[in-house]
Amino acid sequence: MKLEELTPETLARKIDFSILPKNTTESDILRGCELTRKYRFAAFYTSSSFWSPIVKRELQGFDDIEIGTGLAFPFGSATPDAKAFETAEAVRRGCTAVDLVMNVGAAKSGRWDVIEEEVRLFVDAAGDAVTKYIFDVCFLSEEELQTAAEIAIRTGVNFVKTSTGQFDGPTLKQVIMLLEMCVGTSAKLKVAGIKEPRPSNAISLLLAGVERIGTRAGVEIVEGLADFKKVFGNTF
């Protein structure tokens, strides 16, 4: 994507907007749906599928907006079978996009058989829903991240995702590695855990080839595009 191609509308279509706090209320969800309709974000995410029927109702008629949720969120330590059940339930409750958190402890213990199984069951249970697999890269070595990403891409997830956004986000080196691993495959990269200043960092990552940004700051990022172009318009 080139900077001149970015408008508020095209930028919003690269953002998975989310409301994830533990104390989120129904009124928060309704407000999130309202903002999603207004800006036409690519997706609206809640922290579990508990809210998904309401999101489905509020986004009726907006078929190009994904109804998303986190699975085994945010720790990822559930068993593969439990994750598969949660995935199927999320789809049944109206989700069209599902983001599963990897079992980081299993990966760091070298239990790649567990990672293989949970990704396979996840993809199978998701059916036609868009699948996004979350690593939480801040906990992983370069070798661990490479192995996890290889498994996810090989097994057929639609997106590899850096972070839950609940812990530290990715380094630039990690983003570059994942972008390079996606080249020549059907997988795309979603980045979450964007650091301040979010508008400039998010837009820069999209210009570098990232496909989606997962964030609660969707409005801030879209409304920051004009300032970004003023500052960096002759650079990109």
Side-chain angles (χ1 to χ4, degrees):
M1 173 169 282
K2 298 179 180 179
L3 183 56
E4 58 264 29
E5 297 172 345
L6 273 182
T7 65
E9 293 75 22
T10 58
L11 177 55
R13 297 303 299 161
K14 294 291 186 178
I15 293 174
D16 285 0
F17 182 48
S18 62
I19 295 180
L20 306 174
K22 187 178 181 68
N23 60 343
T24 296
T25 64
E26 185 169 337
S27 62
D28 296 325
I29 297 300
L30 293 174
R31 176 59 175 161
C33 290
E34 179 184 355
L35 290 170
T36 300
R37 293 192 302 265
K38 176 181 178 180
Y39 287 90
R40 297 297 292 264
F41 293 121
F44 178 55
Y45 272 77
T46 58
S47 61
S48 81
S49 62
F50 175 80
W51 299 113
S52 300
I54 293 174
V55 177
K56 181 179 180 180
R57 182 194 71 204
E58 294 297 310
L59 297 183
Q60 187 174 1
F62 292 83
D63 295 338
D64 59 341
I65 298 176
E66 297 168 2
I67 301 166
T69 193
L71 303 170
F73 187 87
F75 296 113
S77 54
T79 65
D81 285 339
K83 290 180 172 181
F85 177 87
E86 188 178 1
T87 302
E89 182 182 44
V91 172
R92 178 180 61 81
R93 291 178 63 83
C95 290
T96 58
V98 282
D99 293 29
L100 179 68
V101 184
M102 184 180 76
N103 188 329
V104 171
K108 294 194 71 65
S109 300
R111 292 296 308 275
W112 297 111
D113 58 316
V114 174
I115 305 305
E116 294 260 12
E117 182 182 13
E118 73 174 20
V119 178
R120 176 179 56 80
L121 293 177
F122 169 51
V123 171
D124 288 346
D128 293 332
V130 180
T131 52
K132 306 174 189 181
Y133 191 61
I134 308 172
F135 302 122
D136 259 334
V137 296
C138 63
F139 296 107
L140 302 176
S141 68
E142 182 176 343
E143 182 179 346
E144 289 163 346
L145 177 56
Q146 182 175 9
T147 302
E150 286 173 349
I151 291 171
I153 292 169
R154 182 176 70 246
T155 309
V157 299
N158 300 120
F159 285 80
V160 289
K161 180 178 173 183
T162 60
S163 317
T164 58
Q166 307 303 299
F167 311 100
D168 287 342
T171 65
L172 182 57
K173 183 177 181 180
Q174 289 170 325
V175 170
I176 291 170
M177 186 179 82
L178 290 172
L179 278 172
E180 291 176 345
M181 291 184 70
C182 288
V183 172
T185 77
S186 61
K188 299 175 182 180
L189 177 59
K190 175 177 174 178
V191 173
I194 298 290
K195 300 177 177 66
E196 295 279 6
R198 290 190 181 93
S200 58
N201 285 334
I203 294 167
S204 296
L205 288 170
L206 290 171
L207 295 174
V210 170
E211 182 66 22
R212 292 278 182 91
I213 300 294
T215 182
R216 66 181 184 275
V219 174
E220 177 189 353
I221 291 169
V222 171
E223 295 189 348
L225 177 60
D227 287 338
F228 183 91
K229 286 188 171 184
K230 286 179 183 178
V231 176
F232 299 106
N234 296 321
T235 304
F236 287 86

